[in-house]
Amino acid sequence: MTDELQAHRQAFREEANELLAELETSLLEWEDSPEDQGLLGRIFRAMHTIKGSGAMFGFDAVAEFTHEVESALDQARSGSIACSPQLIDLTLRARDHIRALMDESFGGPSVDRQITVMLKTAFQSLLRQQPREEPSTPQAAAPAASGKEKTYRIAFCPQQGIFANGTDPLLLLDELRAMGQCAVIAHVQDIPSLEDFASEACYTHWDIILTTNRDPNEIRDVFIFVEDDCHLQVEIIDEDGLPNDETEYKRLGEILLEKGDISTEKLQEVLRGQRRLGELLVEKGDVASDRVNAALQEQQQVRQARQKRQAATEFSSIRVPAQRLDILADLVGEMVSVQARLTSAAAARADAEMATIAEQVERLTTELRHNTMIIRMLPIGTLFNKFKRLVRDLSRDLGKEVEMVTVGADTELDKTVIERLGDPLVHLIRNSVDHGIEAPALRQAAGKPAVGVVTVTAVHSGAYVLIQIQDDGAGLDPEVIRAKAVEKGLIEAGADLSRKQIFDLIFEPGFSTAKAVTDVSGRGVGMDVVRSNIRSLKGEVDIDSVKGRGTTITLKLPLTLAIIDGLLVSVAGDFFVIPLSHIEECVELTRQDLRDSHGRHTVTVRGELVPYVQLRERFKAHGQPMDIEQVVIIKVGKSRLGLVVDRVIGNHQTVIKSLGPMFKHIDVISGATILGDGTLALIVDINALCNELGLQEREIRVER
């Protein structure tokens, strides 16, 4: 297999994965709105594109299986079969099977062929069944009424090297023939003599006249994987529903002129030389050169405008492997470090010209960093779409009625965060459906609608994104949680805990309030892993619940994990970076302040007592503290804490470097960065430090 063909196969795989994701989303929406023919068109179009392109690139198993699914969807479009739970379920299972077949083609696990046979048989059985609604009903009649027949002029001119990527143009023409009445005209005038003929080159191009009820996007989808290797033009030249006075079509001369097959001069020559042909060419018997020139100018301007719009559409986005973005982010990180060294060197030498250059480099580096981070951002809606299928299938398995609502799907996060966020969110949503939402009978007895609602919301908040998973179910019972914690030995029976501390107990390893172990939950494995995963993303998780009304779980996540803005401080000659998003302010701490506190580690900030921790003591640094120290006031959740340092140096663009597995036991340090002079600075993990100090758990530990 050539490298070029392999690249095209990989491109097909990526495109097909996107189409499969769109297919799943559209199917779930169609289930809620079965009368929406636009959704059905999207579903059919995605399946048809996968089938046609799969056959073109050698995915025969995918194409053959998809044909059965497409047949059922085509019957649904024509109104022969109705949208039913059986059709939706089968198509969703078929969608999963297509992905498995594709993964197998790229070295993935083998697919059980019995599943293929079983699904094919199920679709064939569905097609043999009688339609659930008579054709006279509005739903059955809708597809025929909404599908206008159009006639297209398609110009398909492949590049000579199109065979090298495995493309067979005849398969593409067969795809068009399957769409309706089709006339194919081959142009062979460019085929050279035998001695100049190259067997691997394509010398033929085609004109196709197609009458069908498909829309232009479906026509173009046939050529979706060869658009860069051909010249393609699709025009609607006739359409149903025109007024009577507009039904007469263009004369032959107009068509030839419009296509550029004949020049104005040649047309005038024909008109002068052949009166009978002139009568056929000239509309209403009246043609002059100025009218022909005006028509040519109109055609040229319209074509140029359309080509310009098409070019803007085609090149508005490009597909880039994620690995290249990672490499780019790493290079930008190195650039930030080099820029910091340049700024430091310019300041040390007191060179005005060098300082000016350093400022320019800093400005460009900041802009480069900003745009690189934007490129890495993805809408969180790519995750949300996967959860709709999860909620649908899980609610059916549990015998519940659950609706999922998403808000803020366009909220963007770093791709690394999104990739690692999927599993925690899946577990939280499963918990909401399993533990939170009650059975329909119980909900109605409690005066609630039979259908429960799980709402997933994403919104920007400064340098963070807040994600909330909220359900309107039974809520958490603090007394039940307390009793289970006592039973598990997590707390003493008489422990005095706040409401938040009680809710936080569900994150303890092995904690579960489920009465029975099921396939969904009850083993006490999961919530502690959720918290661990969120903390590994430098995020926080918080729970709030009202018994009988529902539960809300809030995740607070940083926008990116690659480069952060930090405050550079020093302690006993060593350097540390504190994430700027946590910092509220900085105050001084004098010897007199220490004497006034009488040994208590608190500082008064505008009338409020704030506890602090000496980083010198925490990191066991040697030497005596300075006479005047600095307290960096940070905020985590609703708690405030002071970090006492020797000196505050200033803001610092921090490129996060991993410390490696040897230092994984150091919880309060999340990484390191390199300063302008080459010195290493450690990045303080604020969440881990607060948890270690027990800002939220100290009372629990004391009672134990």
Side-chain angles (χ1 to χ4, degrees), residues 296-569:
L296 285 173
Q297 180 64 30
E298 176 185 342
Q299 181 193 35
Q300 180 181 4
Q301 288 188 218
V302 171
R303 182 184 293 118
Q304 289 175 348
R306 289 180 177 176
Q307 289 176 345
K308 184 177 180 180
R309 288 196 300 269
Q310 182 182 9
T313 301
E314 291 177 349
F315 295 100
S316 61
S317 63
I318 59 174
R319 187 182 301 278
V320 178
Q323 184 180 9
R324 294 186 182 179
L325 291 181
D326 294 337
I327 294 173
L328 177 61
D330 290 340
L331 291 174
V332 171
E334 297 297 332
M335 187 68 185
V336 170
S337 298
V338 172
Q339 172 264 314
R341 294 185 64 181
L342 177 61
T343 301
S344 178
R349 297 184 182 184
D351 187 328
E353 183 177 0
M354 188 174 180
T356 301
I357 296 174
E359 289 177 2
Q360 293 176 344
V361 172
E362 181 177 2
R363 177 177 58 81
L364 293 173
T365 303
T366 301
E367 189 69 20
L368 178 62
R369 169 211 165 184
H370 174 70
N371 283 280
T372 302
M373 292 302 103
I374 289 177
I375 292 173
R376 289 172 57 91
M377 293 294 181
L378 293 175
I380 200 169
T382 56
L383 273 180
F384 286 179
N385 291 335
K386 300 177 182 178
F387 301 146
K388 292 183 178 180
R389 171 83 179 275
L390 170 70
V391 170
R392 175 188 182 273
D393 294 345
L394 187 58
S395 60
R396 290 194 174 189
D397 292 342
L398 296 173
K400 299 179 178 180
E401 298 180 24
V402 185
E403 176 187 358
M404 180 177 175
V405 178
T406 59
V407 180
D410 57 348
T411 303
E412 293 185 330
L413 264 173
D414 188 284
K415 76 175 190 66
T416 304
V417 179
I418 287 183
E419 289 168 357
R420 295 167 58 183
L421 188 58
D423 289 343
L425 281 179
V426 165
H427 189 87
L428 293 175
I429 292 173
R430 287 170 67 93
N431 269 3
S432 293
V433 176
D434 185 25
H435 292 299
I437 303 296
E438 313 96 326
L442 293 177
R443 291 181 61 86
Q444 289 176 330
K448 296 181 179 180
V451 179
V453 179
V454 175
T455 304
V456 184
T457 306
V459 63
H460 280 121
S461 178
Y464 289 87
V465 167
L466 300 181
I467 301 174
Q468 284 191 337
I469 301 94
Q470 184 176 22
D471 66 69
D472 64 347
L476 297 176
D477 189 333
E479 295 306 318
V480 172
I481 296 175
R482 175 190 285 273
K484 182 62 68 172
V486 171
E487 178 186 329
K488 294 281 187 180
L490 298 175
I491 60 172
E492 298 294 336
D496 182 18
L497 305 180
S498 67
R499 183 181 180 84
K500 175 175 174 49
Q501 290 169 338
I502 292 176
F503 289 155
D504 283 345
L505 286 171
I506 69 174
F507 292 112
E508 293 294 325
F511 186 88
S512 176
T513 58
K515 294 184 172 69
V517 175
T518 68
D519 292 337
V520 180
S521 60
R523 300 184 184 274
V525 178
M527 290 303 288
D528 60 320
V529 177
V530 168
R531 181 171 63 177
S532 176
N533 288 342
I534 296 302
R535 285 180 175 176
S536 71
L537 293 171
K538 315 308 175 200
E540 307 169 24
V541 56
D542 181 70
I543 296 181
D544 188 23
S545 182
V546 178
K547 183 180 177 181
R549 295 176 57 183
T551 301
T552 300
I553 299 178
T554 303
L555 309 181
K556 184 179 180 181
L557 298 160
L559 287 174
T560 179
L561 301 178
I563 302 177
I564 63 171
D565 288 319
L567 184 69
L568 184 63
V569 301

Side-chain angles (χ1 to χ4, degrees), residues 61 64-66 68-69 89-101 104 109-124 389:
E64 182 184 355
F65 174 73
T66 307
E68 299 290 342
V69 190
D89 289 338
L90 272 177
T91 311
L92 285 171
R93 292 171 63 187
R95 175 257 181 208
D96 297 339
H97 191 61
I98 292 170
R99 183 184 289 276
L101 289 171
E104 181 186 47
S110 298
V111 176
D112 186 355
R113 297 306 177 207
Q114 292 299 320
I115 298 178
T116 305
V117 174
M118 183 269 292
L119 289 173
K120 281 185 177 181
T121 303
F123 275 108
Q124 291 166 359
R389 171 83 179 275

